[in-house]
Every structure is written in structure tokens, then in C-alpha cells.
Amino acid sequence: MTVAGFALVVLVVLALLAGVHRYLWQRLVGDTTTRGSALRRVGTVAAYLLPLLSIGALVAGRVGAPFPLQQALAWPGYLWLAAVLYLTLALLVGEVVRPVLRRVLARRDAVRGRGDAVRGRQDGRAAGEVSRGGAADAEGAPAASAASVAASPAAEGTPAAASPVAQTSSAVLVGDGDGGSAAARTDSGTAGTGTDSGTVAPATVPVAASALTRRLFVARAVGGAAAVAGLGTVGHGTYGVLRGPRVKRVTVPLARLPRSAHGLRIAVVSDIHLGPILGRAHTQRIVDTINRTRPDLVAVVGDLVDGTVDDLGPAAEPLAGLDARQGSFFVTGNHEYYSGAAQWVDHVRELGLRPLENARVEIDGFDLAGVNDIAGETEGQGPDFEAALGDRDPARASVLLAHQPVVIDDAVAWGVDLQLSGHTHGGQLWPGDLVAGLAYPTVAGLDRYGDTQLYVTRGAGAWGPPVRVGAPSDITVVELASLRA
């Protein structure tokens, strides 16, 4: 790729990240908080800071930053990348739910408003009947009483016009039930906003305020649900990685395998990815898990590390504790060539593993071969199938260790019976398996290509975010079966 092409790709990726973060901010912060609030300020700062941490985590190792700085950036930076993926997916689902929820709430409010209006009219009629009954009682009173009432203020020297009773009969104030203006009605039914039937006008519903309240409720409900779903998914996926890989068992029959090798167990582990997040404790969990299976042979199929021997040598030391009758073997993956492949080959040899650099060894009943990863071609150290498989006895069964499954065509051409690979992580983060399926012949599991079988492990670690969703980490015990047994 040319410099201009690389720069264009970088710009497109940055623009995509900026757009996604703008969307996340709008849905999780802008739509759910009020302008000037503390929550909005915190959310806005996070929207700028977290992607910067992610970029820092991605480039720190490449530029040779001090290892403690890589560790400080890796946890928040990589976890946020996973959170961005699942928050975005959850919010996109929420886009479908959002208009449905708004319509449901609007219909509920409309029904409730009609019920309030009916109750308001009923209350108005009841108040009118009470008012008319009071006026009738006043007309039927003795004239002397009326005269005395009228004369009383006059006798006291007060003008008769000053008496409210002399001016009008009792007035009734009826509210609209929603804090609106009151309506006054006299016994003649002609005052205020009342009607001559003794009822009041229906309450005026504050439509704009109600719609605004609904929008805020829906935004918070959908945003909150998306946050719980997205962050919960990341949390569960992180736990799965830190817990350590689980053991899978697969039986693979080989036509040329002799009876003497029937039942031989190969513990296949790949993509451990020691680095600023996964360290010595992770290696020890893997070694303990492998040893509990009591394998006859251990195959470490590349991508052991993401860093230099100086930084990660101590993290790899538990590999010296691997226990297998036929020994432990190692082939390079693409990440070794980002981390100093030659130094790591020497280091794993010191730990007791036997590197197979385009080489093979005769095991009881079959040939075990290994080739360098195709990333080594940039250093003149790519896979050499002639060196690994040439001049061997074609009557013997053969097992090939190759980090990437894409070399299966070469394995078929060289008459390999079984290829053991990793590299794909099984997609690691759903829907990554769908994307990986476009690039690799097999993403995970056992497949057959002509007379050659290919097994791809999902790997025991994780690259980038220490998270796996829909692709749990594993160590696979492959048991070879002879058709002659």
C-alpha cells in the first residue's frame, strides 16, 4: 500500500470513529441530560477522552512507549473500543424501539386526557346543581327575613349596594383540573367561561410540554437500556477472557496413522497474546489447564506475545512448566514478527519448547512439521513447505503446525493429513465471526479440504480488548485416531 493510500485509510477510519462517537454522545448524553448540567459536562469530557485513550493504546506499543505507559493506556483504551461496538449495536436496536415506545406513550396520554375531560365535565355539572339549589332556597325565604337582611346594612349606615348578596346570587369557581384558569358561574349561568348548561370548558392539555416529557422519557429509557446491554456484554466478555480458556476435545481420524499412535493427544493452544493486559498469571492459568489434560504433545501455534522479550519475558516463563511425554513445540505467528521474532524463538527454546522453523520432527507413528507465519515474508523468513515437508516418507501420516489457516492450499498440495492453526480467534467479538468468514477458509473448528483436514482453535487469549463475545477462548485436545485400530 502506498503512503497516500495508507493516509486515506487512516482518515476514513478516524472519520468513522468521530461519527460513531458523535452518535453515542447524542443518544447517551445530549438526548438524556439538560444543557449545562453536571452529567452533560461529564459525558462530554468522556466523549473526547475515551477515544484518545483508545488511540493511545493502539499506538503505544508500535512506537516503543515505556511498558508501564502501555499498561496504563491498555485497560481503558481497549475496553472502550469493545464498549463502542456494543453500545452502538444496542442503540441501533433502540432506534427501532424508540418510535414504537413514543406512539404507545402518546396513545396512553391521549386516553388519560379524555378521561380527565369527562371527569371535569361531571364535576362542573355537580357544582352547577349545588349552585342552583342554593339560589332556590334564597328565593323561598320569608320576605321579612329578606327585608331584615337588606335593612340591616342600611341601619348600620352602609349602602345597600355594598352587599354582595344584593348584587348577585352566590358565585361558584370551578377549576379546569390541570392548574388552568378558573371559571365563575352565577345562578343565571352567564358569568366567566361557564356554559348555560352548568358545565365548564374541557381542560386545555399542555401538548408541547407533554410531548417534550415523552421524548425525554423515551431517550432515557432507550439510552439506559442500551448502556446496560452494551456494558453488560463487555463485562461478561471480559470475565470470560480473564477466567481463562476452557478445554475442548476433538477426535480426528487419520488414514495413514498406525495403530501404535492411536489415541495420541495433542494439546493445541494459540493466540495467547501476552501483553500489557494479559501477563504471567494468564500464562500460568493456561499451563495449568494444559497439564491437567495430560497431553502426549503440546503445540503452541503462534501469536504468543504482543511485545518484546525485555517487557514480556517474565510473563512467558510459566511455559517452562509444560509437561508432555513427546515434548512441546512452537511455531511463529504474525504478532511475533511485530515483536522481534528471532528473540522470541530463542527465548521459547530456553523455556524448553522446540521451535519448528520450516522444519519437521518424527514422532512415534507420524511426522510433525511446522512452518513460519506468512508475516515473516517481510523479513525473508516466510513459510517454506519444501524445507518442512520435502523428502519425507509419504507413507507416514503428517501433522502440520501453521498459524494461519490460509495456507491450507499448500498443505493439501504437500499431502498433509492434518493442519493445526489459530489466528482467527473465532471472530473474538460478534459479529466478527461473520467478517472473519469472508477472509479465512475456516474460522473455527474442524473442516476437510480434499484429503487434508484443518482444525482451527479460537485461541486462549485476546488481542486488543480483553473481551470475547460469541467466541469463547479454548485449548483444544486433539486426539488422533487410527483407522486400523
Side-chain angles (χ1 to χ4, degrees), residues 334-357:
N334 54 306
H335 281 253
E336 272 72 55
Y337 292 97
Y338 310 147
S339 308
Q343 291 80 9
W344 275 111
V345 167
D346 291 340
H347 190 64
V348 298
R349 185 180 285 113
E350 294 171 359
L351 296 175
L353 282 75
R354 180 172 178 177
L356 292 177
E357 298 182 273

Side-chain angles (χ1 to χ4, degrees), residues 8-356:
L8 179 61
V9 170
V10 170
L11 288 175
V12 170
V13 171
L14 290 177
L16 179 61
L17 284 175
V20 169
H21 279 83
R22 179 67 177 83
Y23 171 72
L24 291 177
W25 180 89
Q26 185 62 51
R27 287 307 192 203
L28 296 177
V29 180
D31 289 350
T32 62
T33 61
T34 57
R35 189 182 302 274
S37 67
L39 285 176
R40 175 167 291 199
R41 287 195 294 270
V42 170
T44 302
V45 170
Y48 283 98
L49 179 61
L50 290 171
L52 292 178
L53 290 174
S54 297
I55 294 173
L58 289 168
V59 304
R62 302 285 191 227
V63 300
F67 194 64
L69 177 59
Q70 295 181 41
Q71 291 176 305
L73 292 172
W75 273 105
Y78 282 129
L79 283 176
W80 177 242
L81 287 177
V84 166
L85 172 61
Y86 291 108
L87 286 173
T88 302
L89 291 176
L91 285 170
L92 290 176
V93 173
E95 298 298 342
V96 178
V97 176
R98 191 182 303 270
V100 175
L101 186 55
R102 281 181 180 170
R103 283 196 293 270
V104 169
L105 294 176
R107 188 176 297 113
R108 184 201 66 179
D109 290 347
V111 171
R112 182 178 297 172
R114 287 194 295 270
D116 290 344
V118 170
R119 285 192 294 272
R121 286 194 294 270
Q122 291 173 345
D123 292 343
R125 291 192 187 98
E129 291 172 359
V130 171
S131 177
R132 285 193 295 273
D137 292 341
E139 291 174 358
S145 298
S148 64
V149 171
S152 177
E156 296 175 2
T158 304
S163 174
V165 179
Q167 293 296 315
T168 181
S169 60
S170 301
V172 179
L173 294 179
V174 182
D176 66 359
D178 287 318
S181 60
R185 188 194 57 78
T186 67
D187 64 323
S188 60
T190 58
T193 58
T195 65
D196 57 3
S197 62
T199 62
V200 295
T204 302
V205 178
V207 178
S210 178
L212 178 61
T213 303
R214 284 198 301 272
R215 285 196 297 271
L216 183 60
F217 173 79
V218 170
R220 289 178 174 175
V222 173
V228 170
L231 298 180
T233 299
V234 172
H236 184 267
T238 302
Y239 168 75
V241 171
L242 299 182
R243 175 196 60 198
R246 292 296 186 250
V247 175
K248 292 181 61 178
R249 298 181 183 273
V250 177
T251 299
V252 180
L254 300 181
R256 289 181 285 189
L257 189 73
R259 183 179 303 174
S260 61
H262 178 76
L264 187 140
R265 298 183 306 276
I266 303 175
V268 182
V269 59
S270 180
D271 301 280
I272 296 174
H273 284 289
L274 300 178
I277 293 179
L278 301 176
R280 186 185 182 98
H282 182 62
T283 311
Q284 189 63 59
R285 282 191 295 269
I286 290 171
V287 170
D288 292 343
T289 301
I290 290 174
N291 287 344
R292 282 196 296 269
T293 68
R294 304 179 65 183
D296 298 298
L297 184 151
V298 176
V300 181
V301 197
D303 277 8
L304 171 64
V305 293
D306 285 306
T308 65
V309 172
D310 290 340
D311 291 334
L312 297 174
E317 287 177 357
L319 293 174
L322 288 171
D323 184 16
R325 178 173 60 87
Q326 299 284 6
S328 300
F329 299 86
F330 171 80
V331 293
T332 57
N334 54 306
H335 281 253
E336 272 72 55
Y337 292 97
Y338 310 147
S339 308
Q343 291 80 9
W344 275 111
V345 167
D346 291 340
H347 190 64
V348 298
R349 185 180 285 113
E350 294 171 359
L351 296 175
L353 282 75
R354 180 172 178 177
L356 292 177

